[in-house]
Amino acid sequence: MERTYIMLKPDAIKRSLVGTIIKRIEDKGCNIKAMKMFTLNEEILKEHYSHLIEKPFFPELVNFMTSGPVIGMIIEGTDVVVGMRNLMGPTKWEEASPGTIRGDFANNTTENLIHGSDSVSNAEEEINRFSKFF
Ligand code: UDP
Ligand code: MG
C-alpha cells in the first residue's frame, strides 16, 4: 500500500466543491486515512513550495494559499500517488482534460483546487510536514 498527501486548496472550500472533490476520490476507491481542516502560513508554504520560491508568481501563490483554510488528507491505496495525480489533472487548467478535477472545475493555474504529492518520497515528506496539523 502506498500513501499520498492531498490538500484541498482555499478555492475548493470557498466554491463549496469539497464534497464533490471528496466524492471523486472515494468513487475511485481510494481510502481516506486522515483528514483535517487548518490554515497555512508563509513559513510552511516556503517549505512545501520550496521548488517555486524564485518564481514571479510565488507571492501570489502564498497570498492565495493563506486566504482561507485548506483540508489536508492522507490517502492510501495501490499506486495512489500517480493515481491521484491523474484524477487531479495537470497543473495548468487549460491543459487539464475534462473528467479530471482541475479539467472540470479549475479556470486558473494558481487557484487549481487541489494539491497532490508528485512522488512516493515527496508524499512521505509532505505527510511528515503536515502531520503536526492533524
Ligand atoms: N502555480 C502557479 N503558477 C504556475 C505554476 C504553479 O500559480 O505557473 C501554483 C499552482 O497552484 C500549483 C502550485 O503552484 O498547483 C504548485 O506548483 P507545481 O508545479 O508543484 O504543480 P502541482 O504539483 O500542484 O500540479
Ligand atoms: Mg507539485
Side-chain angles (χ1 to χ4, degrees), residues 13 22 41 51 57 66 68 70 74 92 97 108 110 114-115 117 121:
I13 293 151
I22 289 175
N41 58 37
H51 59 300
F57 59 80
T66 57
V70 298
I74 299 168
K92 293 184 175 167
S97 299
N108 185 292
T110 301
I114 185 167
H115 166 82
S117 312
S121 63

Side-chain angles (χ1 to χ4, degrees), residues 9-11 59-68 110-112:
K9 298 184 179 184
D11 55 336
E60 184 192 342
L61 179 59
V62 169
N63 226 17
F64 163 56
M65 290 297 293
T66 57
S67 68
T110 301
E111 304 196 11
N112 59 5

Side-chain angles (χ1 to χ4, degrees), residues 48-49 51-52 85 88 91 102 115-118 122 126:
H48 179 60
Y49 286 140
H51 59 300
L52 300 173
R85 292 287 298 190
M88 288 161 51
T91 315
R102 287 168 169 172
H115 166 82
S117 312
D118 61 8
N122 279 341
E126 290 172 3

